[in-house]
Amino acid sequence: MKLSQKGEFYGQTNTTIHLEGLTLTDTVYTHDKVDWHYHENAYFTFILQGNVIEGNKKEIYNCSAGSLLFHNWQEPHYNIKPEGFTRGFHIEIEKSWFDTLGFNTDNLQEALTLPMSI
């Protein structure tokens, strides 16, 4: 299973901005399917345009524009992009960022991937 490093998402990256402990990435989804993988950091994805199907070991989510997803670090998942243009905005959060704020991440590691319509 592939580990995606900080700022690494599948597709065409339009912009990446590195802040102290946060990485913002604007990505156009170009792969019809991305096999099981996980990311180095916890992150949110806001679907700006199009649709994507996200699956993990527990659930499968059909996300359209306006959906917000959260993945904790090292949470295995896969993506399927239906036909059409899809674009997402990612906010990655390094563990050091949580530590700086004194945020206990023990419960965060148990978080689920939840789509939310905004």
mmCIF file of all heavy atoms in Angstrom, residues 53-92:
data_model
loop_
_atom_site.group_PDB
_atom_site.id
_atom_site.type_symbol
_atom_site.label_atom_id
_atom_site.label_comp_id
_atom_site.label_asym_id
_atom_site.label_seq_id
_atom_site.Cartn_x
_atom_site.Cartn_y
_atom_site.Cartn_z
ATOM 1 N N ILE A 53 -15.832 9.098 -5.309
ATOM 2 C CA ILE A 53 -16.257 8.046 -4.387
ATOM 3 C C ILE A 53 -15.045 7.710 -3.529
ATOM 4 O O ILE A 53 -13.969 7.436 -4.051
ATOM 5 C CB ILE A 53 -16.743 6.803 -5.152
ATOM 6 C CG1 ILE A 53 -17.960 7.165 -5.999
ATOM 7 C CG2 ILE A 53 -17.050 5.666 -4.183
ATOM 8 C CD1 ILE A 53 -18.342 6.118 -7.026
ATOM 9 N N GLU A 54 -15.219 7.798 -2.219
ATOM 10 C CA GLU A 54 -14.149 7.493 -1.266
ATOM 11 C C GLU A 54 -14.574 6.251 -0.496
ATOM 12 O O GLU A 54 -15.680 6.182 0.029
ATOM 13 C CB GLU A 54 -13.981 8.644 -0.261
ATOM 14 C CG GLU A 54 -13.438 9.893 -0.845
ATOM 15 C CD GLU A 54 -11.947 10.054 -0.604
ATOM 16 O OE1 GLU A 54 -11.362 9.304 0.204
ATOM 17 O OE2 GLU A 54 -11.366 10.936 -1.233
ATOM 18 N N GLY A 55 -13.681 5.282 -0.415
ATOM 19 C CA GLY A 55 -13.965 4.084 0.357
ATOM 20 C C GLY A 55 -12.876 3.828 1.367
ATOM 21 O O GLY A 55 -11.701 4.075 1.106
ATOM 22 N N ASN A 56 -13.279 3.361 2.550
ATOM 23 C CA ASN A 56 -12.318 2.913 3.546
ATOM 24 C C ASN A 56 -12.740 1.524 4.012
ATOM 25 O O ASN A 56 -13.607 0.908 3.401
ATOM 26 C CB ASN A 56 -12.179 3.922 4.701
ATOM 27 C CG ASN A 56 -13.465 4.127 5.476
ATOM 28 O OD1 ASN A 56 -14.283 3.220 5.627
ATOM 29 N ND2 ASN A 56 -13.666 5.336 5.968
ATOM 30 N N LYS A 57 -12.172 1.027 5.079
ATOM 31 C CA LYS A 57 -12.470 -0.336 5.528
ATOM 32 C C LYS A 57 -13.888 -0.483 6.067
ATOM 33 O O LYS A 57 -14.392 -1.582 6.166
ATOM 34 C CB LYS A 57 -11.457 -0.777 6.576
ATOM 35 C CG LYS A 57 -10.076 -0.968 6.002
ATOM 36 C CD LYS A 57 -9.096 -1.419 7.051
ATOM 37 C CE LYS A 57 -7.728 -1.601 6.442
ATOM 38 N NZ LYS A 57 -6.748 -2.050 7.423
ATOM 39 N N LYS A 58 -14.549 0.647 6.387
ATOM 40 C CA LYS A 58 -15.875 0.589 7.001
ATOM 41 C C LYS A 58 -17.003 1.065 6.104
ATOM 42 O O LYS A 58 -18.113 0.591 6.200
ATOM 43 C CB LYS A 58 -15.891 1.426 8.287
ATOM 44 C CG LYS A 58 -14.966 0.908 9.364
ATOM 45 C CD LYS A 58 -15.027 1.804 10.575
ATOM 46 C CE LYS A 58 -14.047 1.329 11.632
ATOM 47 N NZ LYS A 58 -14.053 2.199 12.801
ATOM 48 N N GLU A 59 -16.734 2.068 5.252
ATOM 49 C CA GLU A 59 -17.809 2.723 4.509
ATOM 50 C C GLU A 59 -17.360 3.119 3.108
ATOM 51 O O GLU A 59 -16.175 3.206 2.827
ATOM 52 C CB GLU A 59 -18.238 4.014 5.227
ATOM 53 C CG GLU A 59 -18.587 3.826 6.678
ATOM 54 C CD GLU A 59 -20.048 3.993 6.972
ATOM 55 O OE1 GLU A 59 -20.825 4.210 6.035
ATOM 56 O OE2 GLU A 59 -20.407 3.922 8.149
ATOM 57 N N ILE A 60 -18.349 3.433 2.274
ATOM 58 C CA ILE A 60 -18.119 4.021 0.951
ATOM 59 C C ILE A 60 -18.975 5.275 0.887
ATOM 60 O O ILE A 60 -20.162 5.252 1.219
ATOM 61 C CB ILE A 60 -18.507 3.041 -0.176
ATOM 62 C CG1 ILE A 60 -17.618 1.799 -0.123
ATOM 63 C CG2 ILE A 60 -18.396 3.729 -1.536
ATOM 64 C CD1 ILE A 60 -18.028 0.716 -1.099
ATOM 65 N N TYR A 61 -18.356 6.397 0.461
ATOM 66 C CA TYR A 61 -19.044 7.676 0.412
ATOM 67 C C TYR A 61 -19.081 8.206 -1.011
ATOM 68 O O TYR A 61 -18.065 8.217 -1.695
ATOM 69 C CB TYR A 61 -18.332 8.711 1.294
ATOM 70 C CG TYR A 61 -18.211 8.285 2.732
ATOM 71 C CD1 TYR A 61 -17.006 7.810 3.236
ATOM 72 C CD2 TYR A 61 -19.302 8.354 3.576
ATOM 73 C CE1 TYR A 61 -16.894 7.420 4.555
ATOM 74 C CE2 TYR A 61 -19.205 7.960 4.905
ATOM 75 C CZ TYR A 61 -17.995 7.493 5.391
ATOM 76 O OH TYR A 61 -17.893 7.112 6.692
ATOM 77 N N ASN A 62 -20.245 8.638 -1.457
ATOM 78 C CA ASN A 62 -20.406 9.313 -2.745
ATOM 79 C C ASN A 62 -20.403 10.810 -2.460
ATOM 80 O O ASN A 62 -21.348 11.328 -1.875
ATOM 81 C CB ASN A 62 -21.716 8.894 -3.408
ATOM 82 C CG ASN A 62 -21.673 7.464 -3.878
ATOM 83 O OD1 ASN A 62 -20.883 7.144 -4.751
ATOM 84 N ND2 ASN A 62 -22.491 6.611 -3.292
ATOM 85 N N CYS A 63 -19.355 11.477 -2.852
ATOM 86 C CA CYS A 63 -19.168 12.892 -2.514
ATOM 87 C C CYS A 63 -19.302 13.751 -3.758
ATOM 88 O O CYS A 63 -18.674 13.493 -4.777
ATOM 89 C CB CYS A 63 -17.787 13.096 -1.907
ATOM 90 S SG CYS A 63 -17.507 12.046 -0.474
ATOM 91 N N SER A 64 -20.104 14.780 -3.645
ATOM 92 C CA SER A 64 -20.275 15.732 -4.746
ATOM 93 C C SER A 64 -19.737 17.082 -4.306
ATOM 94 O O SER A 64 -19.322 17.259 -3.155
ATOM 95 C CB SER A 64 -21.757 15.825 -5.121
ATOM 96 O OG SER A 64 -22.509 16.209 -3.991
ATOM 97 N N ALA A 65 -19.752 18.047 -5.211
ATOM 98 C CA ALA A 65 -19.278 19.387 -4.883
ATOM 99 C C ALA A 65 -19.977 19.884 -3.628
ATOM 100 O O ALA A 65 -21.190 19.740 -3.485
ATOM 101 C CB ALA A 65 -19.541 20.330 -6.050
ATOM 102 N N GLY A 66 -19.192 20.402 -2.697
ATOM 103 C CA GLY A 66 -19.729 20.867 -1.420
ATOM 104 C C GLY A 66 -19.517 19.888 -0.292
ATOM 105 O O GLY A 66 -19.758 20.227 0.864
ATOM 106 N N SER A 67 -19.049 18.675 -0.598
ATOM 107 C CA SER A 67 -18.786 17.688 0.456
ATOM 108 C C SER A 67 -17.446 17.966 1.122
ATOM 109 O O SER A 67 -16.496 18.405 0.479
ATOM 110 C CB SER A 67 -18.745 16.270 -0.120
ATOM 111 O OG SER A 67 -20.006 15.873 -0.597
ATOM 112 N N LEU A 68 -17.404 17.709 2.418
ATOM 113 C CA LEU A 68 -16.180 17.853 3.194
ATOM 114 C C LEU A 68 -15.850 16.501 3.801
ATOM 115 O O LEU A 68 -16.699 15.889 4.445
ATOM 116 C CB LEU A 68 -16.371 18.896 4.300
ATOM 117 C CG LEU A 68 -15.189 19.142 5.224
ATOM 118 C CD1 LEU A 68 -14.046 19.804 4.445
ATOM 119 C CD2 LEU A 68 -15.611 20.015 6.399
ATOM 120 N N LEU A 69 -14.631 16.035 3.566
ATOM 121 C CA LEU A 69 -14.191 14.748 4.097
ATOM 122 C C LEU A 69 -13.026 14.950 5.043
ATOM 123 O O LEU A 69 -12.246 15.880 4.871
ATOM 124 C CB LEU A 69 -13.716 13.837 2.957
ATOM 125 C CG LEU A 69 -14.750 13.487 1.935
ATOM 126 C CD1 LEU A 69 -14.268 13.891 0.560
ATOM 127 C CD2 LEU A 69 -15.008 12.003 1.988
ATOM 128 N N PHE A 70 -12.900 14.067 6.017
ATOM 129 C CA PHE A 70 -11.746 14.075 6.905
ATOM 130 C C PHE A 70 -11.139 12.687 6.909
ATOM 131 O O PHE A 70 -11.854 11.688 7.004
ATOM 132 C CB PHE A 70 -12.140 14.456 8.330
ATOM 133 C CG PHE A 70 -10.990 14.334 9.288
ATOM 134 C CD1 PHE A 70 -10.011 15.310 9.326
ATOM 135 C CD2 PHE A 70 -10.879 13.233 10.117
ATOM 136 C CE1 PHE A 70 -8.938 15.194 10.189
ATOM 137 C CE2 PHE A 70 -9.805 13.104 10.984
ATOM 138 C CZ PHE A 70 -8.829 14.089 11.019
ATOM 139 N N HIS A 71 -9.817 12.620 6.798
ATOM 140 C CA HIS A 71 -9.076 11.363 6.955
ATOM 141 C C HIS A 71 -8.036 11.580 8.039
ATOM 142 O O HIS A 71 -7.294 12.561 8.002
ATOM 143 C CB HIS A 71 -8.323 10.988 5.665
ATOM 144 C CG HIS A 71 -9.201 10.474 4.584
ATOM 145 N ND1 HIS A 71 -9.765 9.227 4.608
ATOM 146 C CD2 HIS A 71 -9.614 11.043 3.433
ATOM 147 C CE1 HIS A 71 -10.482 9.049 3.521
ATOM 148 N NE2 HIS A 71 -10.413 10.148 2.784
ATOM 149 N N ASN A 72 -7.987 10.638 8.986
ATOM 150 C CA ASN A 72 -6.873 10.724 9.922
ATOM 151 C C ASN A 72 -5.629 10.163 9.257
ATOM 152 O O ASN A 72 -5.703 9.578 8.173
ATOM 153 C CB ASN A 72 -7.195 10.036 11.245
ATOM 154 C CG ASN A 72 -7.475 8.544 11.111
ATOM 155 O OD1 ASN A 72 -7.176 7.931 10.101
ATOM 156 N ND2 ASN A 72 -8.047 7.947 12.126
ATOM 157 N N TRP A 73 -4.473 10.406 9.843
ATOM 158 C CA TRP A 73 -3.241 9.941 9.216
ATOM 159 C C TRP A 73 -3.213 8.425 9.215
ATOM 160 O O TRP A 73 -3.759 7.769 10.104
ATOM 161 C CB TRP A 73 -1.993 10.513 9.896
ATOM 162 C CG TRP A 73 -1.995 10.372 11.379
ATOM 163 C CD1 TRP A 73 -1.618 9.293 12.120
ATOM 164 C CD2 TRP A 73 -2.441 11.349 12.315
ATOM 165 N NE1 TRP A 73 -1.787 9.535 13.449
ATOM 166 C CE2 TRP A 73 -2.292 10.795 13.602
ATOM 167 C CE3 TRP A 73 -2.945 12.634 12.187
ATOM 168 C CZ2 TRP A 73 -2.630 11.490 14.758
ATOM 169 C CZ3 TRP A 73 -3.280 13.310 13.335
ATOM 170 C CH2 TRP A 73 -3.124 12.751 14.589
ATOM 171 N N GLN A 74 -2.640 7.907 8.201
ATOM 172 C CA GLN A 74 -2.439 6.478 7.997
ATOM 173 C C GLN A 74 -3.751 5.690 7.939
ATOM 174 O O GLN A 74 -3.775 4.506 8.235
ATOM 175 C CB GLN A 74 -1.488 5.912 9.058
ATOM 176 C CG GLN A 74 -0.139 6.576 9.005
ATOM 177 C CD GLN A 74 0.846 6.037 10.013
ATOM 178 O OE1 GLN A 74 0.528 5.178 10.820
ATOM 179 N NE2 GLN A 74 2.051 6.543 9.972
ATOM 180 N N GLU A 75 -4.834 6.333 7.525
ATOM 181 C CA GLU A 75 -6.116 5.652 7.331
ATOM 182 C C GLU A 75 -6.200 5.154 5.891
ATOM 183 O O GLU A 75 -6.294 5.945 4.956
ATOM 184 C CB GLU A 75 -7.268 6.606 7.609
ATOM 185 C CG GLU A 75 -8.618 5.966 7.359
ATOM 186 C CD GLU A 75 -9.755 6.956 7.549
ATOM 187 O OE1 GLU A 75 -9.498 8.154 7.719
ATOM 188 O OE2 GLU A 75 -10.900 6.505 7.509
ATOM 189 N N PRO A 76 -6.162 3.836 5.673
ATOM 190 C CA PRO A 76 -6.227 3.307 4.302
ATOM 191 C C PRO A 76 -7.563 3.633 3.643
ATOM 192 O O PRO A 76 -8.619 3.520 4.262
ATOM 193 C CB PRO A 76 -6.082 1.792 4.487
ATOM 194 C CG PRO A 76 -5.551 1.600 5.859
ATOM 195 C CD PRO A 76 -6.022 2.770 6.669
ATOM 196 N N HIS A 77 -7.498 4.053 2.382
ATOM 197 C CA HIS A 77 -8.706 4.353 1.617
ATOM 198 C C HIS A 77 -8.382 4.293 0.127
ATOM 199 O O HIS A 77 -7.227 4.196 -0.261
ATOM 200 C CB HIS A 77 -9.282 5.719 1.999
ATOM 201 C CG HIS A 77 -8.366 6.861 1.727
ATOM 202 N ND1 HIS A 77 -7.317 7.198 2.555
ATOM 203 C CD2 HIS A 77 -8.318 7.747 0.705
ATOM 204 C CE1 HIS A 77 -6.683 8.237 2.063
ATOM 205 N NE2 HIS A 77 -7.263 8.594 0.933
ATOM 206 N N TYR A 78 -9.422 4.328 -0.686
ATOM 207 C CA TYR A 78 -9.260 4.357 -2.144
ATOM 208 C C TYR A 78 -10.220 5.392 -2.707
ATOM 209 O O TYR A 78 -11.136 5.852 -2.018
ATOM 210 C CB TYR A 78 -9.500 2.977 -2.778
ATOM 211 C CG TYR A 78 -10.905 2.464 -2.599
ATOM 212 C CD1 TYR A 78 -11.899 2.777 -3.519
ATOM 213 C CD2 TYR A 78 -11.252 1.677 -1.500
ATOM 214 C CE1 TYR A 78 -13.203 2.323 -3.359
ATOM 215 C CE2 TYR A 78 -12.546 1.218 -1.331
ATOM 216 C CZ TYR A 78 -13.512 1.539 -2.259
ATOM 217 O OH TYR A 78 -14.799 1.093 -2.087
ATOM 218 N N ASN A 79 -9.990 5.788 -3.977
ATOM 219 C CA ASN A 79 -10.829 6.798 -4.634
ATOM 220 C C ASN A 79 -11.254 6.291 -6.003
ATOM 221 O O ASN A 79 -10.462 5.671 -6.704
ATOM 222 C CB ASN A 79 -10.052 8.102 -4.860
ATOM 223 C CG ASN A 79 -9.351 8.595 -3.631
ATOM 224 O OD1 ASN A 79 -8.161 8.375 -3.475
ATOM 225 N ND2 ASN A 79 -10.058 9.262 -2.760
ATOM 226 N N ILE A 80 -12.480 6.591 -6.364
ATOM 227 C CA ILE A 80 -12.980 6.361 -7.720
ATOM 228 C C ILE A 80 -13.577 7.681 -8.192
ATOM 229 O O ILE A 80 -14.380 8.293 -7.491
ATOM 230 C CB ILE A 80 -14.045 5.250 -7.752
ATOM 231 C CG1 ILE A 80 -13.443 3.925 -7.284
ATOM 232 C CG2 ILE A 80 -14.646 5.132 -9.157
ATOM 233 C CD1 ILE A 80 -14.462 2.825 -7.085
ATOM 234 N N LYS A 81 -13.158 8.124 -9.391
ATOM 235 C CA LYS A 81 -13.678 9.367 -9.943
ATOM 236 C C LYS A 81 -14.628 9.026 -11.084
ATOM 237 O O LYS A 81 -14.216 8.508 -12.104
ATOM 238 C CB LYS A 81 -12.538 10.249 -10.470
ATOM 239 C CG LYS A 81 -13.020 11.599 -10.976
ATOM 240 C CD LYS A 81 -11.921 12.395 -11.616
ATOM 241 C CE LYS A 81 -11.643 12.019 -13.033
ATOM 242 N NZ LYS A 81 -12.720 12.253 -13.988
ATOM 243 N N PRO A 82 -15.916 9.312 -10.903
ATOM 244 C CA PRO A 82 -16.848 9.125 -12.014
ATOM 245 C C PRO A 82 -16.470 10.048 -13.181
ATOM 246 O O PRO A 82 -15.655 10.949 -13.030
ATOM 247 C CB PRO A 82 -18.200 9.523 -11.417
ATOM 248 C CG PRO A 82 -18.023 9.405 -9.939
ATOM 249 C CD PRO A 82 -16.583 9.745 -9.685
ATOM 250 N N GLU A 83 -17.084 9.827 -14.322
ATOM 251 C CA GLU A 83 -16.817 10.654 -15.498
ATOM 252 C C GLU A 83 -17.031 12.123 -15.189
ATOM 253 O O GLU A 83 -17.908 12.485 -14.418
ATOM 254 C CB GLU A 83 -17.759 10.251 -16.642
ATOM 255 C CG GLU A 83 -17.041 9.629 -17.804
ATOM 256 C CD GLU A 83 -17.995 9.319 -18.929
ATOM 257 O OE1 GLU A 83 -18.430 10.263 -19.620
ATOM 258 O OE2 GLU A 83 -18.277 8.132 -19.097
ATOM 259 N N GLY A 84 -16.215 12.963 -15.795
ATOM 260 C CA GLY A 84 -16.361 14.403 -15.626
ATOM 261 C C GLY A 84 -15.201 14.997 -14.843
ATOM 262 O O GLY A 84 -14.326 14.299 -14.343
ATOM 263 N N PHE A 85 -15.224 16.306 -14.749
ATOM 264 C CA PHE A 85 -14.172 17.086 -14.095
ATOM 265 C C PHE A 85 -14.385 17.073 -12.588
ATOM 266 O O PHE A 85 -15.494 17.334 -12.116
ATOM 267 C CB PHE A 85 -14.213 18.520 -14.632
ATOM 268 C CG PHE A 85 -13.155 19.413 -14.077
ATOM 269 C CD1 PHE A 85 -11.871 19.388 -14.612
ATOM 270 C CD2 PHE A 85 -13.433 20.277 -13.032
ATOM 271 C CE1 PHE A 85 -10.880 20.226 -14.112
ATOM 272 C CE2 PHE A 85 -12.459 21.115 -12.526
ATOM 273 C CZ PHE A 85 -11.178 21.086 -13.063
ATOM 274 N N THR A 86 -13.319 16.790 -11.825
ATOM 275 C CA THR A 86 -13.397 16.808 -10.359
ATOM 276 C C THR A 86 -12.189 17.537 -9.806
ATOM 277 O O THR A 86 -11.058 17.315 -10.232
ATOM 278 C CB THR A 86 -13.464 15.377 -9.782
ATOM 279 O OG1 THR A 86 -14.615 14.719 -10.305
ATOM 280 C CG2 THR A 86 -13.552 15.399 -8.269
ATOM 281 N N ARG A 87 -12.456 18.409 -8.847
ATOM 282 C CA ARG A 87 -11.401 19.210 -8.234
ATOM 283 C C ARG A 87 -11.622 19.265 -6.734
ATOM 284 O O ARG A 87 -12.759 19.406 -6.269
ATOM 285 C CB ARG A 87 -11.450 20.617 -8.825
ATOM 286 C CG ARG A 87 -10.416 21.565 -8.306
ATOM 287 C CD ARG A 87 -10.534 22.893 -9.055
ATOM 288 N NE ARG A 87 -9.784 23.936 -8.388
ATOM 289 C CZ ARG A 87 -10.136 25.208 -8.405
ATOM 290 N NH1 ARG A 87 -11.224 25.605 -9.053
ATOM 291 N NH2 ARG A 87 -9.409 26.102 -7.777
ATOM 292 N N GLY A 88 -10.526 19.140 -5.980
ATOM 293 C CA GLY A 88 -10.617 19.171 -4.527
ATOM 294 C C GLY A 88 -9.586 20.096 -3.904
ATOM 295 O O GLY A 88 -8.503 20.312 -4.457
ATOM 296 N N PHE A 89 -9.922 20.632 -2.751
ATOM 297 C CA PHE A 89 -9.030 21.491 -1.972
ATOM 298 C C PHE A 89 -8.704 20.745 -0.689
ATOM 299 O O PHE A 89 -9.606 20.332 0.038
ATOM 300 C CB PHE A 89 -9.719 22.822 -1.669
ATOM 301 C CG PHE A 89 -8.900 23.745 -0.821
ATOM 302 C CD1 PHE A 89 -7.764 24.358 -1.335
ATOM 303 C CD2 PHE A 89 -9.253 23.996 0.493
ATOM 304 C CE1 PHE A 89 -7.009 25.211 -0.555
ATOM 305 C CE2 PHE A 89 -8.508 24.850 1.279
ATOM 306 C CZ PHE A 89 -7.383 25.455 0.757
ATOM 307 N N HIS A 90 -7.414 20.540 -0.412
ATOM 308 C CA HIS A 90 -6.967 19.741 0.735
ATOM 309 C C HIS A 90 -6.275 20.627 1.765
ATOM 310 O O HIS A 90 -5.488 21.508 1.393
ATOM 311 C CB HIS A 90 -5.978 18.657 0.281
ATOM 312 C CG HIS A 90 -6.449 17.893 -0.910
ATOM 313 N ND1 HIS A 90 -7.397 16.917 -0.836
ATOM 314 C CD2 HIS A 90 -6.112 17.988 -2.214
ATOM 315 C CE1 HIS A 90 -7.621 16.426 -2.044
ATOM 316 N NE2 HIS A 90 -6.851 17.068 -2.896
ATOM 317 N N ILE A 91 -6.561 20.367 3.017
ATOM 318 C CA ILE A 91 -5.871 21.022 4.125
ATOM 319 C C ILE A 91 -5.248 19.920 4.969
ATOM 320 O O ILE A 91 -5.955 19.196 5.677
ATOM 321 C CB ILE A 91 -6.821 21.873 4.989
ATOM 322 C CG1 ILE A 91 -7.536 22.915 4.127
ATOM 323 C CG2 ILE A 91 -6.053 22.519 6.140
ATOM 324 C CD1 ILE A 91 -8.647 23.646 4.851
ATOM 325 N N GLU A 92 -3.929 19.778 4.856
ATOM 326 C CA GLU A 92 -3.205 18.763 5.629
ATOM 327 C C GLU A 92 -2.736 19.367 6.945
ATOM 328 O O GLU A 92 -2.277 20.507 6.988
ATOM 329 C CB GLU A 92 -1.959 18.307 4.880
ATOM 330 C CG GLU A 92 -2.221 17.264 3.858
ATOM 331 C CD GLU A 92 -0.928 16.843 3.206
ATOM 332 O OE1 GLU A 92 -0.264 15.927 3.735
ATOM 333 O OE2 GLU A 92 -0.584 17.445 2.173
#
